[in-house]
């Protein structure tokens, strides 16, 4: 999978997990851009989903984190060019890429552990879109990645 850049953003609940994932992605050799938040002060997750959507183009991908991952994934999917998948384990992260051509992985800092998050990141960014029968379904979702 060709990846030009990975953007990552979180609200205050995801701040610590975001820092861990940034380090992991950089160690894997990815170009990572941290869009914030940059501390644990209370912020609104829709603002960071919006910031992600504004930056995401072409072969760029993203990671979004809030307390549960639910709110930030809903906010991100308001944008036609974003296919944000809220995942809870390696299987859902892998299938989000393989079957749905997701370009953003969302997760909940309060619902998964650090090791699971790391494994999800590795699976998501190592998995190619399968195309084939999935291609026509993804096209029905609309928007351009």
């Amino acid at each position: 999978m060709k990846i030009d850049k990975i953007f990552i953003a979180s609200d205050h609940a995801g701040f610590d997990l975001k820092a861990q994932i940034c380090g992991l992605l950089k160690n894997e050799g990815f170009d990572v851009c941290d869009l914030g938040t940059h501390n644990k002060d209370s912020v609104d997750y829709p603002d960071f989903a919006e910031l992600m959507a504004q930056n995401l183009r072409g072969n760029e991908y993203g990671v979004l984190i809030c307390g549960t991952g639910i709110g930030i994934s809903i906010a991100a999917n308001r944008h036609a060019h974003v296919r944000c998948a809220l995942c809870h384990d390696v299987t859902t992260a892998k299938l989000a890429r393989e079957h749905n051509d997701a370009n953003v992985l969302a997760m909940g800092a309060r619902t998964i552990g650090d090791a699971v998050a790391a494994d999800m990141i590795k699976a998501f960014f190592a998995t190619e879109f399968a195309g084939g029968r999935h291609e026509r379904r993804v096209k029905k979702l609309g928007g351009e990645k």
Side-chain angles (χ1 to χ4, degrees), residues 15 17-18 20 24-25 36 41 46 56 63-64 69 79-80 86-87 91 93 108 118 133-134 136-137 143:
F15 177 76
L17 183 57
K18 179 175 63 75
Q20 174 194 325
L24 171 68
L25 289 168
D41 295 344
L56 206 60
V63 177
L64 289 171
H79 302 273
L86 172 57
C87 298
T91 301
R133 72 182 192 274
H134 304 290
R136 78 171 183 277
R137 296 166 185 156

Side-chain angles (χ1 to χ4, degrees), residues 27-103:
N27 286 342
E28 295 283 325
F30 291 108
D31 182 9
V32 179
C33 179
D34 184 348
L35 299 172
T37 189
H38 298 294
N39 59 51
K40 292 184 182 182
D41 295 344
S42 183
V43 295
D44 298 331
Y45 58 80
D47 297 339
F48 291 92
E50 176 71 27
L51 191 56
M52 171 74 68
Q54 290 172 0
N55 280 278
L56 206 60
R57 301 287 178 253
N59 288 320
E60 299 170 338
Y61 291 79
V63 177
L64 289 171
I65 308 164
C66 70
T68 63
I70 297 169
I72 207 162
S73 64
I74 291 170
N77 279 317
R78 295 178 63 205
H79 302 273
H81 68 287
V82 175
R83 282 193 296 282
C84 180
L86 172 57
C87 298
H88 299 94
D89 53 40
V90 171
T91 301
T92 53
K94 180 180 182 299
L95 292 175
R97 283 285 313 127
E98 190 175 295
H99 291 187
N100 307 112
D101 200 17
N103 58 348

